[in-house]
Amino acid sequence: MAGAAAVETAAAAAAANGKACCHAAKGPGYATPLEAMEKGPREKLVYVTCVYNGTGINKPDYLATVDLDPSSPTYSQVIHRLPVTHIGDELHHSGWNSCSSCHGDPSAKRRFLILPSLLSGRVYVVDTATDPRAPSLHKVVESEDIAENTGLGFPHTSHCLASGDIMISCLGDKEGNAAGNGFLLLDSEFNVKGRWEKPGHSPLFGYDFWYQPRHKTMISSSWGAPAAFRTGFDLQHVQDGLYGRHLHVYDWPGGELKQTLDLGDTGLLPLEVRFLHDPSKDTGYVGCALTSNMVRFFKTADGSWSHEVAISVKPLKVRNWILPEMPGLITDFVISLDDRYLYFVNWLHGDIRQYNIEDPAKPFLAGQVWVGGLLQKGSDVVYVTDDGQEQQYNVPQVKVISPLKTF
């Protein structure tokens, strides 16, 4: 979803490769996810993409820098805003030019933040190293250049590769047709290099992706046709077949589509994909937004991949909403670096959940907090219990990030 954040250190990217470095000299990030967890410093800055699309404010989106240092006089404040060059881009997920996937390459430097623009098709490259507290625009990869050389549009997820290239999932062609989706490759100087997947190995829908090198596998998810979602979500479009329900299993790094997993009606709109951080593990999860299920995918004894529903969030009966029942609408999620916990947010219900996944096939709820959503006290929407009582949830006051007066 829009509004993704990038921490100033590389700890969050420590699982990108999972291979311990055998060289005396080290590149960016950490040799293993556990090393990142144990030795990584506390982040002092966070970069947050901020989107104006749909707000009625006719301004370019911007990258906000937030001070996370408790000892700083500007703690929890926006200390810098970097506007992009155009209006209507819709900045989305962000990624680094290099991270722990390049830990064995001492020449690699993690200094650029990659900002794909979902609607315009541009990719912004931001220099965060020259002045981390006030990053600057380094380069703009124009949508026309991407479309001319690859046919791709609607870029979403960006990951750095051990080769030094940058790989970005694109959800369609420049006209918004889902059949035109694929994976964009930029070289280390942010020039369009081409497409990653082999010709003819692009499924109908795309969205997020992640790779697990030791199992020579990349798995991508499937949201929907850009021509449908760019005008706003319409439930009828799901019935019309304009949204996805599949996981796509690729050979890594070869780019050959090996298998497609149909998640069925329990896996509508699979969004974020996460492998466990332990590089020896052959399992992970995908959050299915519309059906509010967390689906586990895993390798079977014959080397193929399978799936099962691991966590299911029940829809709630409601009043004063567009439907009589409200799904949780799982959006983004993270897995702790030690693979003990999975955290996800129910965007509509408004709760953040913590599940223990030490047994990946049998997660259990370990914690829950209500921080927003449509069912909080004071909202017009109410939750109806099984005995017909109307309820709403208490939401604690959360400290709001405050801007400096100069902005």
Side-chain angles (χ1 to χ4, degrees):
M1 304 299 288
V7 292
E8 197 275 332
T9 71
N17 191 355
K19 295 182 179 179
C21 178
C22 58
H23 304 289
K26 296 185 175 71
Y30 300 88
T32 66
L34 286 179
E35 182 183 341
M37 182 175 178
E38 295 167 354
K39 298 182 180 180
R42 176 180 177 137
E43 289 84 10
K44 294 184 177 181
L45 297 173
V46 65
Y47 303 115
V48 184
T49 53
C50 301
V51 179
Y52 279 119
N53 188 49
T55 67
I57 300 174
N58 196 35
K59 291 183 178 181
D61 299 341
Y62 64 92
L63 183 71
T65 305
V66 181
D67 188 341
L68 297 185
D69 184 356
S71 65
S72 170
T74 55
Y75 174 55
S76 79
Q77 294 185 22
V78 175
I79 57 175
H80 185 264
R81 286 190 177 98
L82 173 66
V84 292
T85 58
H86 291 73
I87 294 173
D89 283 309
E90 188 158 323
L91 299 178
H92 221 65
H93 284 206
S94 58
W96 294 106
N97 69 304
S98 64
C99 58
S100 293
S101 62
C102 307
H103 186 66
D105 181 1
S107 68
K109 304 295 181 183
R110 187 190 56 82
R111 61 170 298 164
F112 295 107
L113 194 61
I114 313 301
L115 304 180
S117 302
L118 183 64
L119 296 185
S120 72
R122 296 183 187 89
V123 177
Y124 292 95
V125 181
V126 176
D127 179 0
T128 65
T130 301
D131 185 351
R133 295 175 65 87
S136 58
L137 188 61
H138 174 74
K139 184 174 182 177
V140 181
V141 185
E142 294 291 351
S143 56
E144 293 82 5
D145 188 20
I146 295 171
E148 180 181 351
N149 288 280
T150 66
L152 295 170
F154 299 87
H156 183 268
T157 298
S158 171
H159 284 307
C160 55
L161 306 185
S163 63
D165 292 338
I166 296 156
M167 182 165 154
I168 303 175
S169 60
C170 294
L171 278 54
D173 60 20
K174 63 180 181 179
E175 284 80 27
N177 301 306
N181 84 92
F183 300 91
L184 167 68
L185 283 178
L186 303 178
D187 65 21
S188 59
E189 300 298 321
F190 316 111
N191 300 306
V192 176
K193 189 173 182 178
R195 295 174 73 133
W196 170 77
E197 78 281 4
K198 290 184 179 297
H201 287 251
S202 298
L204 186 59
F205 300 111
Y207 187 71
D208 195 33
F209 71 98
W210 196 245
Y211 56 94
Q212 190 67 299
R214 291 193 189 179
H215 294 279
K216 299 180 180 179
T217 297
M218 187 274 273
I219 292 183
S220 69
S221 60
S222 50
W223 181 21
F229 65 69
R230 68 182 174 187
T231 59
F233 180 73
D234 185 338
L235 192 59
Q236 181 61 43
H237 287 161
V238 179
Q239 300 174 6
D240 293 341
L242 296 177
Y243 285 90
R245 54 185 240 180
H246 297 88
L247 291 180
H248 308 297
V249 182
Y250 287 85
D251 168 65
W252 183 266
E256 180 181 352
L257 181 62
K258 292 289 191 179
Q259 188 180 355
T260 295
L261 304 178
D262 187 346
L263 306 183
D265 291 339
T266 61
L268 296 177
L269 276 65
L271 299 182
E272 316 305 334
V273 174
R274 304 283 185 270
F275 276 100
L276 293 181
H277 293 298
D278 183 341
S280 69
K281 302 297 184 182
D282 55 2
T283 190
Y285 300 89
V286 59
C288 302
L290 193 59
T291 44
S292 298
N293 290 323
M294 190 65 65
V295 171
R296 183 176 78 95
F297 53 85
F298 52 93
K299 188 183 285 188
T300 64
D302 65 3
S304 65
W305 293 78
S306 188
H307 65 92
E308 64 182 5
V309 175
I311 302 168
S312 186
V313 178
K314 294 182 179 180
L316 298 177
K317 294 181 181 179
V318 293
R319 290 181 183 149
N320 306 323
W321 197 56
I322 57 175
L323 296 172
E325 290 190 339
M326 178 187 292
L329 197 67
I330 295 174
T331 52
D332 213 341
F333 73 97
V334 295
I335 296 174
S336 62
L337 289 176
D338 58 3
D339 289 332
R340 291 188 63 199
Y341 296 105
L342 182 151
Y343 301 84
F344 69 79
V345 59
N346 287 309
W347 197 35
L348 293 179
H349 290 177
D351 59 316
I352 297 174
R353 297 190 178 193
Q354 178 198 53
Y355 281 84
N356 183 297
I357 57 169
E358 291 175 288
D359 182 347
K362 297 179 181 179
F364 62 87
L365 186 64
Q368 185 179 28
V369 60
W370 297 86
V371 296
L374 298 181
L375 301 176
Q376 59 183 296
K377 285 194 173 180
S379 170
D380 292 333
V381 184
V382 295
Y383 158 51
V384 182
T385 64
D386 291 339
D387 59 3
Q389 299 297 311
E390 295 185 352
Q391 288 189 5
Q392 292 178 318
Y393 296 106
N394 287 314
V395 174
Q397 184 175 0
V398 178
K399 181 176 177 60
V400 178
I401 294 174
S402 56
L404 292 177
K405 294 180 180 179
T406 53
F407 293 109

